[in-house]
Amino acid sequence: MPSHAIAGEETGGDPEHLTRAARHQAQVDPLAALRAPGDPPWDVYLTGTVFLDIVFTGLDTAPVRGTESWARGMGSSPGGVANMAAALARLGLRTSLAAAFGDDHYGEYCWDALARGEGIDLTPSRTVPGWHSPVTVSMAYEGERTMISHGHEPPPEEPAPDCPPPARAAVASLMPGRRAPWIAQAARKGTRIFADVGWDDTGAWDLAGLADLEHCEAFLPNAEEAMRYTGSTCPKAAAHALTEHVPVAVVTLGAEGAYAVDRRTGETAEVPAIAVEALDPTGAGDVFVAGFVTGTLAGWPLADRLALAGLTAALSVQEFGGSLSAPGWSEIGAWWRRVQSLDTQNPAALRRYAFLDPLIPTHLDRPWPLRRAVPTIGFGRNT
């Protein structure tokens, strides 16, 4: 199946001071029609840990004890919360990030890539002298990945400020048994909270332990997480059960796509996955959330929000790493033009993405303009 096929088908600082490169890179402002004087300065606020990600791909099997394995591909890029921040910025949202950065070369590279390369506001962030950047090495093989991370204890002060900046939305990763005070503070100011969750190592899988869920507008777990938290045997049933606790539940189904329920409107939506030739799945979940947040802030119907989320996630796995694999509107536009040009595309599947038409730039002077992960860092700027 061609790499751009739609699944199921048979086919042959301040917003005004964003860098010129970042403005050109975004190309589309999905909230342009909604912006008004007095709006919050930021569309989305995030906080978390930035890693340097080093990704190896092209491994035929898992590394074998006592042997040396050679990877056919390698890429380095900012990771951790940077995955989500870059994905949001590349979709045209004004993004502010609070994080700690080491004062080593890794930290400098990550700061430069996010601030200068992506136009992300790092005003709430800080550089910590003597603290080295956390690092994750990821190995992709057989459609899976194995990760090894290293980092010292975080700095004494949390990077998240007591009072997060005003923003239309914030994205949070909920921690079982622990509240993050900034989430409630942001919600009280009218910020719309979107949340995902990691694996519950305690094994409790108790929704009551996700105390900050009460402040959230949308919750986006994967199928296994959703079923464990609700005791359901079916991901769709789990999504409906979650709406007893949060207005919008979105359950990602891996190769099967995603399913969403909006309790307030009664909408449900299911979108199949898009078939692509995957290189590295790192950060795809973060890119999915970014797409859904973008569509929600733009006021789109639930099905369109889900479709954009799935599309951006699918396009991201064709590149190395998490943050710098996220697509911009040029990539989305190139995909949309490509699938429409194939005579064997299913018309019904094409109609699913017709909402993209008014958003895509009429001409693409740079069809693939974005920074991508590279095998190494530290080359001179003119190299």
Side-chain angles (χ1 to χ4, degrees):
M1 181 176 290
S3 61
H4 295 294
I6 298 176
E9 299 165 11
E10 298 189 10
T11 67
D14 179 272
E16 295 307 314
H17 292 84
L18 294 178
T19 65
R20 180 179 302 173
R23 281 188 180 275
H24 186 53
Q25 185 165 286
Q27 292 188 313
V28 172
D29 180 359
L31 308 187
L34 303 176
R35 299 197 186 279
D39 282 349
W42 305 111
D43 296 325
V44 188
Y45 167 78
L46 308 96
T47 184
T49 302
V50 173
F51 288 75
L52 176 74
D53 280 356
I54 302 172
V55 180
F56 293 99
T57 65
L59 292 164
D60 296 322
T61 63
V64 178
R65 181 178 179 180
T67 67
E68 180 180 14
S69 299
W70 279 80
R72 291 189 292 273
M74 174 185 169
S76 301
S77 64
V81 72
N83 295 342
M84 184 82 69
L88 291 162
R90 289 183 172 192
L91 290 176
L93 298 188
R94 299 170 178 175
T95 303
S96 183
L97 170 65
F101 290 79
D103 64 347
D104 52 9
H105 288 311
Y106 289 172
E108 292 173 359
Y109 162 73
C110 290
W111 185 290
D112 180 77
L114 298 176
R116 291 171 54 88
E118 306 300 328
I120 295 167
D121 169 56
L122 297 183
T123 302
S125 296
R126 59 199 176 95
T127 297
V128 181
W131 184 63
H132 81 63
S133 301
V135 176
T136 293
V137 175
S138 176
M139 293 168 283
Y141 53 87
E142 298 175 351
E144 299 292 340
R145 60 190 172 124
T146 298
M147 295 182 290
I148 302 173
S149 296
H150 172 72
H152 290 173
E153 289 295 318
E157 297 179 15
E158 290 294 327
D162 291 335
C163 296
R168 297 173 189 264
V171 181
S173 185
L174 303 185
M175 299 290 292
R178 186 191 308 175
R179 283 187 180 271
W182 73 266
I183 295 177
Q185 293 165 1
R188 284 195 294 270
K189 295 178 180 179
T191 298
R192 303 162 73 177
I193 310 296
F194 297 76
D196 60 12
V197 68
W199 191 258
D200 187 354
D201 291 327
T202 70
W205 297 102
D206 180 9
L207 276 172
L210 301 179
D212 285 322
L213 191 61
E214 65 179 346
H215 304 298
C216 296
E217 171 172 332
F219 184 43
L220 299 95
N222 64 34
E224 185 66 20
E225 294 160 350
M227 290 189 292
R228 286 179 179 266
Y229 271 117
T230 60
S232 303
T233 58
C234 167
K236 293 182 182 180
H240 286 273
L242 286 171
T243 59
E244 297 178 8
H245 305 272
V246 65
V248 179
V250 180
V251 176
T252 55
L253 308 174
E256 301 301 315
Y259 182 78
V261 183
D262 189 328
R263 182 187 69 206
R264 297 165 302 187
T265 64
E267 289 176 281
T268 63
E270 182 175 8
V271 175
I274 294 173
V276 295
E277 295 174 2
L279 174 66
D280 174 28
T282 302
D286 295 320
V287 177
F288 181 95
V289 174
F292 190 82
V293 170
T294 300
T296 301
L297 294 184
W300 297 353
L302 186 62
D304 292 351
R305 291 181 259 162
L306 208 59
L308 179 69
L311 171 58
T312 52
L315 295 179
S316 77
V317 304
Q318 298 178 103
E319 301 286 345
F320 280 109
S323 61
L324 302 187
S325 71
W329 287 102
S330 286
E331 286 79 6
I332 295 170
W335 174 87
W336 180 228
R337 288 174 171 78
R338 168 63 174 158
V339 296
Q340 290 181 91
S341 71
L342 298 175
D343 295 336
T344 50
Q345 291 287 17
N346 185 318
L350 288 176
R351 285 195 294 273
R352 182 183 300 122
Y353 296 91
F355 68 90
L356 293 173
D357 272 331
L359 288 166
I360 301 301
T362 56
H363 65 281
L364 298 174
D365 55 338
R366 295 188 309 162
W368 305 101
L370 303 180
R371 278 192 182 189
R372 295 302 185 192
V374 293
T376 188
I377 60 176
F379 282 136
R381 293 190 182 278
N382 295 325
T383 300

